[in-house]
Amino acid sequence: MIIVVSLFLSLSLFAAPLSLKNSPYYSSKASASIIIFYTTWCPPCQRSLAILDSIQKIHPNIALHRVCVDDTQSQKKAIPYGLGQSIPLILIADHSGNIVKRFSALPDKSILNALIQRLEEGRLENGTLPIEQRVDTWKMDRKGM
């Protein structure tokens, strides 16, 4: 029983939320929101920040939030967002605030850029349209037959 409780607590402490809608990191005007939890002494964090800055220049409609977790207090505030043992932690949310991707290492710029492009087009992470739009497209195709 102790193992089950400790496993549940560790999963709930380090699992990222499904939505940022009720957080200070949500922007209803942004096409996507990106949060990076980083430290000043971490080389992969610094490279990730540089990649995200360049992505933001290409896609100015995204909201980029940088959260430094150098001290214990800021680390405690970041735990509900899934901060565990590894940094950087990067969360990507769509325009509705739903988290669609989580990176716990230095992301590849081309993959990140393609993901942001799909989100700006209103597509899902995998590039498909949301279900409502797919059904509407299917109905329109059926009427033309």
Side-chain angles (χ1 to χ4, degrees):
M1 171 130 169
I2 294 174
I3 295 172
V4 173
V5 172
S6 65
L7 178 63
F8 174 75
L9 286 175
S10 65
L11 288 176
S12 64
L13 282 176
F14 298 112
L18 297 176
S19 177
L20 298 177
K21 198 142 197 167
N22 297 321
S23 78
Y25 308 115
Y26 174 68
S27 175
S28 61
K29 296 177 184 175
S31 59
S33 297
I34 302 175
I35 307 167
I36 178 169
F37 296 95
Y38 71 96
T39 61
T40 56
W41 49 265
C42 166
C45 294
Q46 300 308 313
R47 289 192 298 273
S48 294
L49 286 167
I51 289 171
L52 292 174
D53 287 341
S54 67
I55 293 286
Q56 189 175 33
K57 288 177 185 173
I58 298 168
H59 303 281
N61 293 329
I62 64 171
L64 178 58
H65 304 277
R66 297 165 189 86
V67 181
C68 183
V69 290
D70 278 343
D71 61 278
T72 307
Q73 188 67 17
S74 59
Q75 290 170 6
K76 286 180 183 177
K77 289 180 182 178
I79 287 176
Y81 296 97
L83 183 68
Q85 297 295 323
S86 66
I87 51 171
L89 172 63
I90 301 170
L91 303 176
I92 314 283
D94 63 12
H95 70 281
S96 300
N98 300 318
I99 294 177
V100 297
K101 193 69 174 172
R102 174 189 167 138
F103 293 97
S104 55
L106 181 66
D108 180 79
K109 185 177 179 179
S110 62
I111 291 172
L112 193 55
N113 192 35
L115 172 61
I116 298 299
Q117 182 68 39
R118 287 191 297 270
L119 292 175
E120 286 185 328
E121 293 170 355
R123 296 184 176 274
L124 300 176
E125 173 195 354
N126 63 4
T128 62
L129 290 170
I131 186 68
E132 311 82 41
Q133 292 177 355
R134 282 185 276 168
V135 170
D136 289 346
T137 304
W138 178 79
K139 287 178 183 176
M140 289 188 321
D141 288 345
R142 299 284 295 173
K143 287 181 184 176
M145 295 180 122

